[in-house]
Amino acid sequence: MANSGIAQGINKGHVVQKREKPARYNRKSVQASKRQLMAREIAREVCGLAPYERRILDMIKTGGSSADKRIYKFAKKRLGTHKRALKKREDIKAVNTAQRVRAAGAN
């Protein structure tokens, strides 16, 4: 909405030329490098899971009919957003399958 030059009304204010704002840098659009991914992998290996992640893993193991929904609700409460909760649920499921594969390989 452009300013009308009139002191009252919905478009009140002095008439000026709108400045074009430069595009803001978005960190999320940049793909993680090999080095970053390796660092994250080592950190996960050394540190293990956070307590809330262990609880999600336990929910996956115990299962049940509405396990996915309960895991989602728990993760969303801890992480704050829908997308983060879904991503975390899939990550922990991947950890669970990796553990099961490792256990099956050991036998």
Side-chain angles (χ1 to χ4, degrees):
M1 291 275 221
N3 294 342
S4 64
I6 300 172
Q8 292 296 317
I10 198 163
N11 301 325
K12 66 182 177 183
H14 184 68
V15 177
V16 293
Q17 186 177 358
K18 271 280 194 207
R19 272 183 30 200
E20 193 65 36
K21 291 182 180 173
R24 292 178 69 182
Y25 178 70
N26 184 2
R27 267 177 265 138
K28 290 183 179 125
S29 66
V30 180
Q31 202 167 13
S33 65
K34 290 178 190 173
R35 182 187 176 115
Q36 249 182 331
L37 293 172
M38 185 187 71
R40 285 182 195 161
E41 189 181 324
I42 291 169
R44 171 52 59 96
E45 213 173 289
V46 172
C47 301
L49 299 173
Y52 81 96
E53 291 173 330
R54 280 198 294 271
R55 193 161 159 195
I56 291 171
L57 187 62
D58 188 48
M59 284 181 194
I60 290 170
K61 285 178 180 174
T62 55
S65 57
S66 62
D68 267 6
K69 186 175 179 180
R70 280 190 302 114
I71 292 163
Y72 163 73
K73 285 177 80 173
F74 179 75
K76 187 173 183 294
K77 191 171 185 180
R78 294 299 162 103
L79 298 170
T81 67
H82 175 77
K83 267 187 170 178
R84 286 179 186 172
L86 293 180
K87 193 169 190 301
K88 183 58 73 177
R89 183 176 68 185
E90 297 312 310
D91 288 348
I92 301 298
K93 278 185 178 180
V95 167
N96 185 37
T97 54
Q99 282 181 355
R100 286 171 58 195
V101 166
R102 209 176 306 126
N107 289 336

